[in-house]
Amino acid sequence: MSPSSLSRLSGSPAEQPADGGAPRHVAIIMDGNGRWAAARGLPRLEGHRRGVEALRRAVRSAYDLGVRYLTLYSFSSENWTRPAEEVSDLLNLLRLFIRRDLTDLHRENVRVRVIGEREGLPRDIAKLLDDAESLTRANTGLNLVVAFNYGGRQEIVSAVRRIATAVQEGRLDPAAIDVASISDHLDTADMPDPDLVIRTSGELRLSNFLLWQSAYAEFVFLPRFWPDFDRADFEEAIASFRSRQRRYGGRAARAGA
Ligand code: IPE
Ligand code: IPE
Ligand code: MG
């Protein structure tokens, strides 16, 4: 890997944020809505509804804690395999969220971005996502990245297809393909890699989330269901992040070392 492509790893020492170590990009796998509801004898839909409230709290906390990018995994490429009723509930909650919250987010200077496959989505959803992005495009506050119909493997496949097309058309020399070329073809092309990935619910896996981008992320797994996630949890995760030593395969910077 060339030095120039190494320097593209966000959060590398040269790019550490200057605000007391708040991670610049936090990505969250919001998991456990169903189990939260089951534990209370409630329908799953109630868990998802309460999950949207936790999402609003997380946006507020990220903003207050100085996080610049907050990526939220809200629906995976694989979540279509759930029963039709649950899929439809989740789509309806997304519709409601955008209709109810977009004006406030815009007023708060939040820039909304959406990653994931847009093709094949119900037309009204695709339009709501487009509208949210275009309305807030010029905002300079928190970047709220919604991962919807997102899968890390699918994202890499699309990137590879576009790169292969460029090669086929003679616009790109295969020998010139490097880490940056792949990064630049992902949905996250102009965003920093996540510094911190949080997963709630106690599951210890990535479930196809930001596979490429998380190469050097720090991970925090919380034994709490997503609807219970609050500001104290967010602060705890950030405190844990701050206690980590990121080495990127190099050696710890220590006096006299
Ligand atoms: C997360 O909660 C929401 C989505 C995946 C859309 P789950 O619905 O996965 O809840 P559990 O993991 O079954 O408890
Ligand atoms: C990951 O959670 C997807 C989202 C949080 C949107 P899942 O509940 O779908 O993941 P698995 O099935 O437990 O791996
Ligand atoms: Mg789950």
Side-chain angles (χ1 to χ4, degrees), residues 104-117:
D104 285 348
L105 292 168
H106 183 43
R107 197 181 315 121
E108 304 271 354
N109 198 24
V110 172
R111 178 170 179 189
V112 179
R113 304 174 178 215
V114 183
I115 58 173
E117 183 55 58

PDB file of all heavy atoms in Angstrom, residues 104-117:
ATOM      1  N   ASP A 104     -37.255  19.509  11.132  1.00  0.00           N
ATOM      2  CA  ASP A 104     -36.452  19.805  12.331  1.00  0.00           C
ATOM      3  C   ASP A 104     -34.973  19.569  12.074  1.00  0.00           C
ATOM      4  O   ASP A 104     -34.129  20.365  12.468  1.00  0.00           O
ATOM      5  CB  ASP A 104     -36.869  18.893  13.501  1.00  0.00           C
ATOM      6  CG  ASP A 104     -38.198  19.346  14.090  1.00  0.00           C
ATOM      7  OD1 ASP A 104     -38.645  20.465  13.752  1.00  0.00           O
ATOM      8  OD2 ASP A 104     -38.780  18.581  14.879  1.00  0.00           O
ATOM      9  N   LEU A 105     -34.660  18.457  11.410  1.00  0.00           N
ATOM     10  CA  LEU A 105     -33.251  18.146  11.136  1.00  0.00           C
ATOM     11  C   LEU A 105     -32.639  19.256  10.285  1.00  0.00           C
ATOM     12  O   LEU A 105     -31.523  19.709  10.536  1.00  0.00           O
ATOM     13  CB  LEU A 105     -33.128  16.794  10.414  1.00  0.00           C
ATOM     14  CG  LEU A 105     -33.492  15.557  11.254  1.00  0.00           C
ATOM     15  CD1 LEU A 105     -33.611  14.316  10.365  1.00  0.00           C
ATOM     16  CD2 LEU A 105     -32.447  15.305  12.348  1.00  0.00           C
ATOM     17  N   HIS A 106     -33.408  19.707   9.299  1.00  0.00           N
ATOM     18  CA  HIS A 106     -32.918  20.765   8.412  1.00  0.00           C
ATOM     19  C   HIS A 106     -32.683  22.044   9.219  1.00  0.00           C
ATOM     20  O   HIS A 106     -31.653  22.710   9.072  1.00  0.00           O
ATOM     21  CB  HIS A 106     -33.954  20.988   7.307  1.00  0.00           C
ATOM     22  CG  HIS A 106     -33.526  21.995   6.288  1.00  0.00           C
ATOM     23  ND1 HIS A 106     -32.254  22.045   5.770  1.00  0.00           N
ATOM     24  CD2 HIS A 106     -34.219  23.009   5.695  1.00  0.00           C
ATOM     25  CE1 HIS A 106     -32.177  23.038   4.895  1.00  0.00           C
ATOM     26  NE2 HIS A 106     -33.347  23.634   4.845  1.00  0.00           N
ATOM     27  N   ARG A 107     -33.627  22.347  10.112  1.00  0.00           N
ATOM     28  CA  ARG A 107     -33.489  23.546  10.948  1.00  0.00           C
ATOM     29  C   ARG A 107     -32.245  23.449  11.829  1.00  0.00           C
ATOM     30  O   ARG A 107     -31.605  24.453  12.134  1.00  0.00           O
ATOM     31  CB  ARG A 107     -34.746  23.734  11.804  1.00  0.00           C
ATOM     32  CG  ARG A 107     -34.845  25.140  12.369  1.00  0.00           C
ATOM     33  CD  ARG A 107     -36.076  25.353  13.245  1.00  0.00           C
ATOM     34  NE  ARG A 107     -37.301  24.824  12.684  1.00  0.00           N
ATOM     35  CZ  ARG A 107     -38.072  23.906  13.276  1.00  0.00           C
ATOM     36  NH1 ARG A 107     -37.727  23.399  14.431  1.00  0.00           N
ATOM     37  NH2 ARG A 107     -39.191  23.491  12.700  1.00  0.00           N
ATOM     38  N   GLU A 108     -31.911  22.237  12.244  1.00  0.00           N
ATOM     39  CA  GLU A 108     -30.726  22.027  13.104  1.00  0.00           C
ATOM     40  C   GLU A 108     -29.440  21.935  12.293  1.00  0.00           C
ATOM     41  O   GLU A 108     -28.394  21.550  12.815  1.00  0.00           O
ATOM     42  CB  GLU A 108     -30.877  20.735  13.923  1.00  0.00           C
ATOM     43  CG  GLU A 108     -32.115  20.665  14.780  1.00  0.00           C
ATOM     44  CD  GLU A 108     -31.905  21.246  16.172  1.00  0.00           C
ATOM     45  OE1 GLU A 108     -30.763  21.603  16.483  1.00  0.00           O
ATOM     46  OE2 GLU A 108     -32.895  21.350  16.906  1.00  0.00           O
ATOM     47  N   ASN A 109     -29.527  22.237  10.996  1.00  0.00           N
ATOM     48  CA  ASN A 109     -28.333  22.255  10.138  1.00  0.00           C
ATOM     49  C   ASN A 109     -27.747  20.860   9.899  1.00  0.00           C
ATOM     50  O   ASN A 109     -26.562  20.703   9.615  1.00  0.00           O
ATOM     51  CB  ASN A 109     -27.277  23.195  10.744  1.00  0.00           C
ATOM     52  CG  ASN A 109     -26.214  23.609   9.739  1.00  0.00           C
ATOM     53  OD1 ASN A 109     -26.459  23.581   8.526  1.00  0.00           O
ATOM     54  ND2 ASN A 109     -25.038  23.962  10.221  1.00  0.00           N
ATOM     55  N   VAL A 110     -28.581  19.814  10.086  1.00  0.00           N
ATOM     56  CA  VAL A 110     -28.131  18.435   9.874  1.00  0.00           C
ATOM     57  C   VAL A 110     -28.156  18.131   8.376  1.00  0.00           C
ATOM     58  O   VAL A 110     -29.115  18.461   7.681  1.00  0.00           O
ATOM     59  CB  VAL A 110     -29.048  17.438  10.611  1.00  0.00           C
ATOM     60  CG1 VAL A 110     -28.720  15.993  10.235  1.00  0.00           C
ATOM     61  CG2 VAL A 110     -28.944  17.642  12.120  1.00  0.00           C
ATOM     62  N   ARG A 111     -27.104  17.502   7.896  1.00  0.00           N
ATOM     63  CA  ARG A 111     -27.095  17.035   6.509  1.00  0.00           C
ATOM     64  C   ARG A 111     -27.449  15.549   6.491  1.00  0.00           C
ATOM     65  O   ARG A 111     -26.751  14.742   7.115  1.00  0.00           O
ATOM     66  CB  ARG A 111     -25.727  17.258   5.876  1.00  0.00           C
ATOM     67  CG  ARG A 111     -25.690  16.745   4.463  1.00  0.00           C
ATOM     68  CD  ARG A 111     -24.456  17.151   3.725  1.00  0.00           C
ATOM     69  NE  ARG A 111     -24.489  16.586   2.379  1.00  0.00           N
ATOM     70  CZ  ARG A 111     -23.488  16.620   1.535  1.00  0.00           C
ATOM     71  NH1 ARG A 111     -22.358  17.217   1.869  1.00  0.00           N
ATOM     72  NH2 ARG A 111     -23.598  16.079   0.343  1.00  0.00           N
ATOM     73  N   VAL A 112     -28.520  15.222   5.816  1.00  0.00           N
ATOM     74  CA  VAL A 112     -28.949  13.824   5.753  1.00  0.00           C
ATOM     75  C   VAL A 112     -28.384  13.182   4.487  1.00  0.00           C
ATOM     76  O   VAL A 112     -28.456  13.757   3.393  1.00  0.00           O
ATOM     77  CB  VAL A 112     -30.490  13.712   5.725  1.00  0.00           C
ATOM     78  CG1 VAL A 112     -30.929  12.248   5.639  1.00  0.00           C
ATOM     79  CG2 VAL A 112     -31.107  14.378   6.949  1.00  0.00           C
ATOM     80  N   ARG A 113     -27.804  12.013   4.656  1.00  0.00           N
ATOM     81  CA  ARG A 113     -27.337  11.238   3.500  1.00  0.00           C
ATOM     82  C   ARG A 113     -27.843   9.824   3.644  1.00  0.00           C
ATOM     83  O   ARG A 113     -28.045   9.348   4.768  1.00  0.00           O
ATOM     84  CB  ARG A 113     -25.831  11.191   3.447  1.00  0.00           C
ATOM     85  CG  ARG A 113     -25.204  12.558   3.432  1.00  0.00           C
ATOM     86  CD  ARG A 113     -23.740  12.331   3.540  1.00  0.00           C
ATOM     87  NE  ARG A 113     -23.022  13.573   3.498  1.00  0.00           N
ATOM     88  CZ  ARG A 113     -21.836  13.700   2.933  1.00  0.00           C
ATOM     89  NH1 ARG A 113     -21.257  12.660   2.368  1.00  0.00           N
ATOM     90  NH2 ARG A 113     -21.210  14.835   2.944  1.00  0.00           N
ATOM     91  N   VAL A 114     -28.002   9.167   2.535  1.00  0.00           N
ATOM     92  CA  VAL A 114     -28.518   7.810   2.584  1.00  0.00           C
ATOM     93  C   VAL A 114     -27.547   6.913   1.826  1.00  0.00           C
ATOM     94  O   VAL A 114     -27.136   7.238   0.708  1.00  0.00           O
ATOM     95  CB  VAL A 114     -29.917   7.736   1.946  1.00  0.00           C
ATOM     96  CG1 VAL A 114     -30.482   6.331   2.074  1.00  0.00           C
ATOM     97  CG2 VAL A 114     -30.858   8.750   2.612  1.00  0.00           C
ATOM     98  N   ILE A 115     -27.152   5.792   2.458  1.00  0.00           N
ATOM     99  CA  ILE A 115     -26.332   4.816   1.751  1.00  0.00           C
ATOM    100  C   ILE A 115     -27.137   3.528   1.627  1.00  0.00           C
ATOM    101  O   ILE A 115     -28.032   3.269   2.437  1.00  0.00           O
ATOM    102  CB  ILE A 115     -24.971   4.571   2.444  1.00  0.00           C
ATOM    103  CG1 ILE A 115     -25.155   4.085   3.893  1.00  0.00           C
ATOM    104  CG2 ILE A 115     -24.131   5.837   2.419  1.00  0.00           C
ATOM    105  CD1 ILE A 115     -23.848   3.653   4.570  1.00  0.00           C
ATOM    106  N   GLY A 116     -26.819   2.744   0.618  1.00  0.00           N
ATOM    107  CA  GLY A 116     -27.588   1.529   0.360  1.00  0.00           C
ATOM    108  C   GLY A 116     -28.144   1.579  -1.051  1.00  0.00           C
ATOM    109  O   GLY A 116     -28.044   2.596  -1.734  1.00  0.00           O
ATOM    110  N   GLU A 117     -28.704   0.456  -1.476  1.00  0.00           N
ATOM    111  CA  GLU A 117     -29.209   0.339  -2.850  1.00  0.00           C
ATOM    112  C   GLU A 117     -30.559   1.058  -2.970  1.00  0.00           C
ATOM    113  O   GLU A 117     -31.494   0.747  -2.254  1.00  0.00           O
ATOM    114  CB  GLU A 117     -29.337  -1.152  -3.197  1.00  0.00           C
ATOM    115  CG  GLU A 117     -29.783  -1.444  -4.602  1.00  0.00           C
ATOM    116  CD  GLU A 117     -28.906  -0.778  -5.654  1.00  0.00           C
ATOM    117  OE1 GLU A 117     -27.695  -1.025  -5.670  1.00  0.00           O
ATOM    118  OE2 GLU A 117     -29.461  -0.008  -6.476  1.00  0.00           O
TER     119      GLU A 117
END
